[in-house]
Amino acid sequence: MDGIASDVAVGVKRGSDELLSGSLYNSPNSGMSNGTSNGSDSKKLRVEDRMDAPPSRVLHIRKLPNEVTETEIIALGLPFGKVTNILTLKGKNQAFLELGTEEAAMTMVNYYTAVTPHVRNVPIYIQYSNHKELKTDNAGNQRAQAVLQAVSAVQSGGTPTSGSTASESALTPAPSPVLRIIIDNMFYPVTLDVLQQIFSKFGTVMKIITFTKNNQFQALLQYNDPVNAQQAKVALDGQNIYNACCTLRIDYSKLVNLNVKYNNDKSRDYTRPELPAGDGQPAVDPSVAAAFSKDSNSLLGKIPDGVLKKRVLCFGGEEDDCVMPVAGALSPLSAAAAAAAAAGRVALSGHSGASGVLLASNLNEEMVTPQSLFTLFGVYGDVQRVKILYNKKDSALIQMADANQAQLAMSHLNGQKMYGKIIRVTMSKHQTVQLPREGLDDQGLTKDFTNSPLHRFKKPGSKNFQNIFPPSATLHLSNIPPDITEEDLRVLFSNSGGTVKAFKFFQDHKMALLQMTTVEEAIQALIDLHNYNMGDNHHLRVSFSKSTI
């Protein structure tokens, strides 16, 4: 695939991260050789196929730029799950990042296999570590631990633990709930709505005022709590909104409360949607204001359809290739892809002319069908056509509605287990999947799903756009008939070949969470039971959940 470094490290030789042995556990900076710069010892590494290296929730990150901060390293992992520990080896330009679960680490490696990660515009390399757990001496790693505590608290919706020596030494109390934001290198438009989408990740945004001062776009943004302002400043200061541009410079304002008179594209009070628009300013739709006033679950937040009439994201490494206007709301990227792109840490491969066709290989040719591929890949986009290759039945071409959906499906499904085999998903050189000539029997290997009623994303503004998650052992069930019991569903999902580990009805009993023993079992259950007819025309809807029971 164009734009992807050929030596992305997705596997590691045994012992290649022995930097963590011995005294390093007790002193993160001891034994470092300044003679090794920018990961030049990577020559010792044997880059192997990711499938040959055992997955671990500890990831080894190489070739980091000299000036990298702990916040930037932690930010690489945030879109994929909880980050539980970090160790930086600045003399080696390397770091170790521990995620909360092995599944989160696998999703992160899978994603960055397809999309070369960048920190400060420098390509970096991420691979599994041989260590299953990261042991660090907090006393010698205070700054990193404090940043980790603040950023992790944001992710879990909490606040940093007070009284912590590490926290107090690195994070002073926020003097104000109001942040002053300056945008440097503003090559592309940054709107009030863009700021709200990014900053709402860190707490409830109450008010925003935007203005131009000294020929620079600036903003004042007020949270409901100074702690949220502190967390946002720690995590976002110095980050790019778009790839290689629109850098956030954040400081505390001397103001402690903003007085907003109008709700328009220059200022907004999310607590008072009834405010007038002001002379000559476009008014804000009340439903949009209400949607934006709610906390969001990803860095880019919830984007009501049509709010952003023009939006630019960088989709490639070359400057000439990276402008891609998107009409209406943002394309339905995953929380991971969108968050990473928004913070300028990665550039999504390809550009506006990229293909929407995927090649899936290492399939179980005895079990796989066009319908099963349609159902699984349909979690991440609207599958148009599927063709299992006649002469190579362990491979298939899958045409998605567009290149963004293809990228999303690839990042989530590459390396997952389907019918007992770890599947490979890559971008295909084909622009479309050809249907067989009329009258030609291809044994049902090709199927056209263009007009399928089961497409999840054909309706503009569908809530499905906000509920795209990596494959997980926990499934979200909806459209459950009122007379169906927990036991009914447990039996149904057990019959798909797995074991139901936990179950929880939502209050109205129309939806539920159901946890299988493994991700593979959940994938199988979703393939088998999505759109299952429960009677009285109630077709069960199944998707992956970010929750656990």
Side-chain angles (χ1 to χ4, degrees):
M1 224 166 59
D2 292 341
I4 293 185
S6 59
D7 60 342
V8 173
V10 291
V12 352
K13 182 179 179 180
R14 290 282 181 191
S16 65
D17 55 357
E18 289 173 353
L19 298 165
L20 275 181
S21 62
S23 63
L24 228 108
Y25 278 132
N26 300 319
S27 178
N29 297 314
S30 64
M32 298 295 134
S33 169
N34 291 327
T36 305
S37 177
N38 205 29
S40 60
D41 61 345
S42 62
K43 292 176 183 177
K44 301 173 186 175
L45 298 178
R46 176 167 57 89
V47 178
E48 297 177 341
D49 189 280
R50 175 172 43 79
M51 304 308 168
D52 297 333
S56 166
R57 65 191 184 99
V58 179
L59 299 179
H60 182 197
I61 306 173
R62 301 185 295 114
K63 295 198 174 181
L64 289 162
N66 291 322
E67 66 277 14
V68 69
T69 66
E70 290 89 351
T71 302
E72 289 171 301
I73 298 169
I74 292 168
L76 286 164
L78 279 180
F80 304 93
K82 184 175 178 62
V83 177
T84 52
N85 209 345
I86 179 175
L87 176 63
T88 55
L89 310 171
K90 294 199 173 175
K92 297 280 188 182
N93 298 86
Q94 300 181 24
F96 292 87
L97 197 66
E98 179 187 275
L99 277 79
T101 66
E102 196 172 282
E103 288 174 15
M106 288 175 67
T107 303
M108 180 172 169
V109 169
N110 286 342
Y111 181 75
Y112 288 131
T113 301
V115 179
T116 305
H118 288 71
V119 172
R120 301 193 178 218
N121 304 318
V122 174
I124 62 167
Y125 304 100
I126 299 175
Q127 60 199 44
Y128 295 122
S129 166
N130 287 336
H131 297 276
K132 296 299 182 184
E133 184 181 2
L134 193 56
K135 298 176 182 177
T136 55
D137 178 4
N138 288 356
N141 200 25
Q142 284 191 355
R143 171 65 195 174
Q145 293 299 318
V147 172
L148 178 64
Q149 184 188 44
V151 177
S152 295
V154 171
Q155 205 180 24
S156 61
T159 56
T161 305
S162 60
S164 162
T165 304
S167 179
E168 289 171 354
S169 67
L171 301 171
T172 56
S176 167
V178 180
L179 296 175
R180 181 174 66 107
I181 303 160
I182 297 174
I183 310 292
D184 284 343
N185 303 319
M186 192 165 139
F187 299 141
Y188 306 123
V190 175
T191 66
L192 179 149
D193 292 328
V194 169
L195 293 175
Q196 197 279 341
Q197 292 151 25
I198 294 171
F199 281 82
S200 65
K201 172 66 181 173
F202 299 88
T204 302
V205 174
M206 310 288 282
K207 305 169 187 177
I208 304 178
I209 298 173
T210 63
F211 54 94
T212 300
K213 184 177 180 181
N214 300 329
N215 291 322
Q216 277 190 310
F217 178 84
Q218 300 190 26
L220 295 171
L221 183 146
Q222 181 179 339
Y223 283 105
N224 65 335
D225 191 319
V227 171
N228 300 133
Q230 181 183 43
Q231 293 166 344
K233 184 178 184 300
V234 167
L236 295 177
D237 187 28
Q239 298 288 349
N240 296 330
I241 295 177
Y242 301 119
N243 192 46
C245 67
C246 303
T247 307
L248 291 166
R249 303 294 179 202
I250 304 171
D251 211 337
Y252 297 111
S253 170
K254 294 178 182 177
L255 301 172
V256 293
N257 186 49
L258 298 179
N259 182 22
V260 177
K261 296 180 180 179
Y262 304 111
N263 279 343
N264 51 43
D265 61 353
K266 305 290 186 203
S267 63
R268 190 105 22 107
D269 185 336
Y270 297 98
T271 66
R272 301 180 64 196
E274 76 281 357
L275 287 177
D279 294 337
Q281 292 287 346
V284 178
D285 184 278
S287 64
V288 170
F292 275 128
S293 68
K294 297 174 184 175
D295 285 347
S296 48
N297 294 320
S298 68
L299 200 64
L300 284 180
K302 289 177 120 179
I303 308 169
D305 185 53
V307 169
L308 306 180
K309 293 301 179 188
K310 284 189 178 178
R311 179 65 186 256
V312 179
L313 281 174
C314 292
F315 282 75
E318 297 298 327
E319 195 68 30
D320 293 340
D321 293 337
C322 80
V323 180
M324 183 176 178
V326 180
L330 273 181
S331 298
L333 299 173
S334 66
R345 293 186 288 274
V346 301
L348 299 182
S349 298
H351 43 79
S352 54
S355 162
V357 179
L358 296 167
L359 172 64
S361 57
N362 201 41
L363 301 170
N364 184 331
E365 59 185 273
E366 301 296 325
M367 302 286 292
V368 73
T369 64
Q371 183 65 46
S372 63
L373 292 169
F374 167 79
T375 302
L376 180 58
F377 281 74
V379 174
Y380 301 104
D382 291 338
V383 177
Q384 305 298 299
R385 294 174 179 176
V386 177
K387 178 190 285 289
I388 295 174
L389 303 186
Y390 184 81
N391 293 322
K392 199 174 188 322
K393 292 188 173 63
D394 69 344
S395 299
L397 294 173
I398 300 149
Q399 182 177 335
M400 309 296 288
D402 59 43
N404 292 336
Q405 293 183 5
Q407 183 85 51
L408 184 59
M410 178 176 68
S411 67
H412 282 312
L413 295 177
N414 182 40
Q416 296 293 343
K417 263 193 174 183
M418 179 184 183
Y419 296 127
K421 299 192 72 172
I422 295 174
I423 65 170
R424 300 267 198 170
V425 184
T426 58
M427 300 298 289
S428 168
K429 295 178 181 178
H430 294 280
Q431 294 299 309
T432 61
V433 171
Q434 296 294 326
L435 295 175
R437 292 193 301 275
E438 193 171 346
L440 181 67
D441 179 17
D442 77 337
Q443 302 174 4
L445 297 177
T446 306
K447 191 160 183 182
D448 187 356
F449 295 98
T450 305
N451 298 315
S452 172
L454 298 181
H455 285 157
R456 296 177 187 249
F457 307 103
K458 63 182 177 183
K459 183 180 177 183
S462 167
K463 62 183 179 181
N464 290 335
F465 287 137
Q466 279 86 47
N467 294 306
I468 302 173
F469 303 111
S472 65
T474 305
L475 297 170
H476 180 274
L477 316 181
S478 60
N479 204 34
I480 301 170
D483 59 338
I484 294 296
T485 66
E486 174 180 337
E487 185 60 27
D488 293 333
L489 290 167
R490 281 180 174 270
V491 169
L492 180 65
F493 278 78
S494 296
N495 289 340
S496 69
T499 302
V500 176
K501 187 177 177 183
F503 183 92
K504 179 184 177 183
F505 262 126
F506 285 67
Q507 195 168 2
D508 61 3
H509 275 228
K510 293 179 181 177
M511 295 188 291
L513 293 178
L514 183 144
Q515 188 172 337
M516 305 298 288
T517 304
T518 64
V519 175
E520 182 184 3
E521 288 182 3
I523 289 174
Q524 183 64 55
L526 183 143
I527 291 171
D528 290 346
L529 297 172
H530 178 62
N531 199 45
Y532 182 84
N533 190 347
M534 303 289 291
D536 295 329
N537 209 29
H538 278 87
H539 289 266
L540 190 65
R541 298 284 178 260
V542 185
S543 56
F544 297 115
S545 173
K546 66 174 181 178
S547 306
T548 54
I549 304 172

